[in-house]
Amino acid sequence: MTTRTSDQTTPDPAADPTTDPATASVKTFESINPATGDVVGTHPVHGEADVHAAVERARATADWWAGLGFDGRQEVLTQWRGVITRRLAQLCDVVHQETGKPHGDAQLECALAIDHLAWAGSHAAKVLGRKRVSPGLLLANQAASVEYLPLGVVGVIGPWNYPVFTPMGSIAYALAAGNTVVFKPSELTPGVGTWLADSLREVVGDHDLLQVVTGYGETGAALCRAGVDKIAFTGSTATGKRVMATCAETLTPVVIEAGGKDALLVDEDADLDAAADAAAWGAFANAGQTCAGVERVYVHERVHDRFVDLLAAKARTVHAGVDVDAKIGPMTMPGQLDVVRRHVADALARGGRAVVGGNEAVGDRFVQPTVLVEVPEDSEAVTEETFGPTVTVRRVRDMDEAVELTNAGKYGLGSAIFTAKRGDDLARRLRTGMTSINSVISFAGVPTLPFGGVGDSGFGRIHGPDGLREFTFAKAVTRQRFKAPLNLTTFDRTPEQDTMVATLLLALHGRASQLPKLPRRPLETIRGRRRG
Ligand code: NDP
């Protein structure tokens, strides 16, 4: 853990909402630059009472925000986007300091986040607004409509690896859908979360549209118990299970965006230079601390050796550090170094080979790119999320085997395929929420596409129309347009009218109800079964 806790006496508890008036003191913790060990900032550890108070304030603001309507909300979100964009360098600096990632990478995640904010604001009306739908024939006298209404207050719990992009995938969509938000950033990146909330305050003043509560896991757990209308959680699978268990106490619905072990498939007809380049970036960018980063590669046997050479050459051009040429920064969470070390050691102990990097690549703060080959499929380096700049490469007979091995894992977040012809077919067969063909992780930057996983990678969707609907409830309304000749919802219904319903049913569905023609089983099988 890179945070330090302390107690400070505060002179005026009433002036500081984070203060517990009973003790007139506030616990604080420090966020630390993982590359240098320097203190970046000091933040309050918000307790249960603080979190409840924040949720109450958010609830008091919810009617105002929902009442602004789609146009009013879009106006606010557009202004917020402008503030973030104009201050981009400042935000990137906080991201850089708290995560250690290079400025360019910080800018890239902020750019994508701004794009999502723009899309969510400008598409909410079309996706969520009231739509007339067909009432069907039996209730043809009704006008039917559906619209998607805000839930109220959404709690967002975020990770540290993309401290702007990842939570924005929930915050932007929840706000655009008409909810207010209480956000608990990771204990490693509280400054980024606070910066985001402060920047929105510049647009909405005293309105508690987006509040940040800072602290450790207990603060997140308090948010789960605080009576919010939904929790949008992004983080590890293990914490996701704890969040679900806590939310179950109050039947609070959840979206779980959890970890991954994404595979990249390389077909025999793929552009190998492009595949190796993308594999290197997908595996090593952000020091491998990407939920949808490439952690394993399955390569057709005809091109395997050539691909490994190209990837190894690429890996050798990338190094982790703080110098200007460093393309990747430190491991943001020191505890992750042990996980990376364990996975690499396990892979090598079981007969794997490091073509680049290896055990000695794992230092005190930085991990150098590591390419592992001939690693058994039951090694931790293949089955568990490593979350470091390491990648395993395996030779496969054909793409069928690659699909089988990809789907054998417990995670199902993203995947990628490099191929000349078979992209769509292979993508459909991969049990992952998203697939990029001839690129990696592109799906995360396309605001119109839903983002989320299956299996241990979680459930629910952020981004796109699905992401907007995730923070709403569907409201169905019927309005009787005229008195129906056949009133179905009355005790005055007569036996003759019931007969009319039966006749109508037969006319509408009678043909469909004929028994389908089932494939005939061989007579012997049937006889055999009877005898058995
Ligand atoms: P964690 O699961 O450790 O933490 C995620 C968030 O949950 C943090 O804010 C954390 O607070 C909070 N938290 C911890 N314990 C609890 C609890 N009991 N109740 C409520 N909240 C709690 O994940 P990391 O921050 O380490 O992030 C890395 C993980 O996130 C990786 O597994 C990665 O794959 C995944 N991820 C998934 C993404 C996706 O979209 N699918 C995107 C990005 C990352 P605190 O930090 O203070 O402990």
Side-chain angles (χ1 to χ4, degrees):
M1 192 146 70
T2 56
T3 50
R4 292 195 274 256
T5 310
S6 69
D7 273 301
Q8 291 173 354
T9 305
T10 351
D12 177 11
D16 184 348
T18 66
T19 303
D20 176 355
T23 59
S25 77
V26 58
K27 276 202 164 126
T28 59
F29 68 107
E30 292 166 341
S31 64
I32 307 292
N33 184 325
T36 61
D38 294 341
V39 174
V40 180
T42 304
H43 300 268
V45 178
H46 285 119
E48 207 169 296
D50 306 309
V51 173
H52 270 86
V55 171
E56 282 315 306
R57 288 192 295 274
R59 195 161 297 290
T61 310
D63 280 350
W64 165 75
W65 181 237
L68 284 187
F70 292 113
D71 289 349
R73 294 198 293 266
Q74 187 185 350
E75 177 58 34
V76 168
L77 296 180
T78 302
Q79 285 186 33
W80 186 29
R81 178 158 49 100
V83 173
I84 299 174
T85 308
R86 287 192 295 278
R87 302 258 181 81
L88 197 58
Q90 197 184 56
L91 174 58
C92 292
D93 210 40
V94 187
V95 174
H96 166 69
Q97 287 184 47
E98 288 196 328
T99 64
K101 72 174 72 180
H103 274 96
D105 286 357
Q107 180 171 292
L108 182 58
E109 75 159 291
C110 293
L112 294 174
I114 290 167
D115 211 26
H116 276 285
L117 184 54
W119 192 90
S122 58
H123 287 78
K126 187 162 178 233
V127 175
L128 307 175
R130 185 167 168 261
K131 283 179 201 66
R132 297 259 322 243
V133 293
S134 163
L137 276 174
L138 281 178
L139 291 170
N141 65 323
Q142 304 287 331
S145 68
V146 62
E147 65 184 314
Y148 294 86
L149 300 178
L151 294 168
V153 181
V154 171
V156 175
I157 299 177
W160 45 265
N161 60 337
Y162 290 92
V164 176
F165 174 74
T166 297
M168 192 61 101
S170 297
I171 293 171
Y173 290 81
L175 289 176
N179 305 279
T180 55
V181 172
V182 179
F183 171 36
K184 153 69 178 75
S186 161
E187 69 193 58
L188 304 184
T189 53
V192 177
T194 304
W195 192 100
L196 287 174
D198 288 350
S199 64
L200 183 50
R201 283 249 181 237
E202 288 184 32
V203 179
V204 295
D206 289 342
H207 291 294
D208 294 304
L209 195 50
L210 169 65
Q211 298 171 84
V212 165
V213 287
T214 51
Y216 304 106
E218 297 79 49
T219 307
L223 185 55
C224 296
R225 290 198 184 93
V228 295
D229 299 291
K230 190 158 202 167
I231 286 285
F233 168 83
T234 308
S236 63
T237 304
T239 310
K241 288 178 185 175
R242 282 198 285 279
V243 164
M244 260 187 97
T246 310
C247 286
E249 292 168 19
T250 47
L251 211 65
T252 302
V254 286
V255 184
I256 302 284
E257 298 291 349
K261 188 77 191 175
D262 288 10
L264 164 65
L265 286 63
V266 183
D267 205 352
E268 60 181 320
D269 60 1
D271 175 341
L272 289 190
D273 286 313
D277 185 63
W281 188 81
F284 309 139
N286 209 37
Q289 303 163 117
T290 303
C291 55
V294 175
E295 296 215 357
R296 30 183 195 144
V297 185
Y298 297 111
V299 191
H300 196 289
E301 59 186 5
R302 290 206 184 100
V303 294
H304 173 270
D305 293 352
R306 172 109 185 91
F307 174 84
V308 170
D309 287 347
L310 288 167
L311 176 59
K314 199 85 207 170
R316 289 190 191 101
T317 67
V318 178
H319 75 270
V322 284
D323 54 291
V324 283
D325 294 328
K327 294 206 168 61
I328 56 178
M331 299 302 289
T332 305
M333 192 168 68
Q336 202 64 28
L337 284 159
D338 291 337
V339 177
V340 178
R341 200 173 282 120
R342 201 178 68 230
H343 286 191
V344 173
D346 185 53
L348 298 179
R350 286 154 165 273
R353 196 161 52 84
V355 180
V356 180
N359 269 333
E360 65 283 5
V362 187
D364 285 347
R365 287 190 172 143
F366 299 91
V367 179
Q368 301 305 332
T370 291
V371 179
L372 301 163
V373 295
E374 292 152 30
V375 181
E377 283 295 293
D378 60 354
S379 155
E380 279 186 304
V382 177
T383 58
E384 300 295 331
E385 184 180 48
T386 306
F387 228 51
T390 68
V391 65
T392 62
V393 184
R394 184 188 170 95
R395 182 192 306 272
V396 289
R397 196 179 53 246
D398 51 26
M399 286 299 101
D400 289 344
E401 187 184 2
V403 168
E404 200 178 304
L405 292 173
T406 302
N407 290 345
K410 62 186 175 185
Y411 295 103
L413 191 56
S415 54
I417 307 162
F418 273 76
T419 177
K421 297 192 199 84
R422 303 182 52 203
D424 288 331
D425 167 47
L426 291 169
R428 201 167 295 119
R429 290 167 57 196
L430 290 172
R431 195 180 149 276
T432 61
M434 295 87 54
T435 300
S436 297
I437 301 169
N438 293 334
S439 70
V440 288
I441 325 180
S442 310
F443 42 72
V446 178
T448 37
L449 285 177
F451 184 97
V454 299
D456 273 15
S457 293
F459 53 84
R461 291 295 180 266
I462 55 173
H463 302 176
D466 298 80
L468 282 167
R469 284 191 207 104
E470 191 72 59
F471 299 109
T472 62
F473 66 97
K475 179 75 183 182
V477 175
T478 58
R479 183 177 51 79
Q480 180 150 311
R481 291 185 300 148
F482 55 85
K483 201 164 173 288
L486 185 57
N487 187 0
L488 302 176
T489 56
T490 172
F491 287 118
D492 297 339
R493 213 175 54 233
T494 63
E496 290 74 26
Q497 286 174 325
D498 282 345
T499 306
M500 278 172 69
V501 171
T503 310
L504 193 58
L505 265 183
L506 205 57
L508 289 175
H509 306 294
R511 281 166 61 87
S513 69
Q514 282 171 6
L515 279 179
K517 288 194 178 72
L518 296 170
R520 291 184 59 171
R521 256 186 295 156
L523 213 54
E524 296 81 80
T525 322
I526 298 169
R527 286 205 186 110
R529 287 233 173 114
R530 276 193 191 137
R531 269 203 300 272

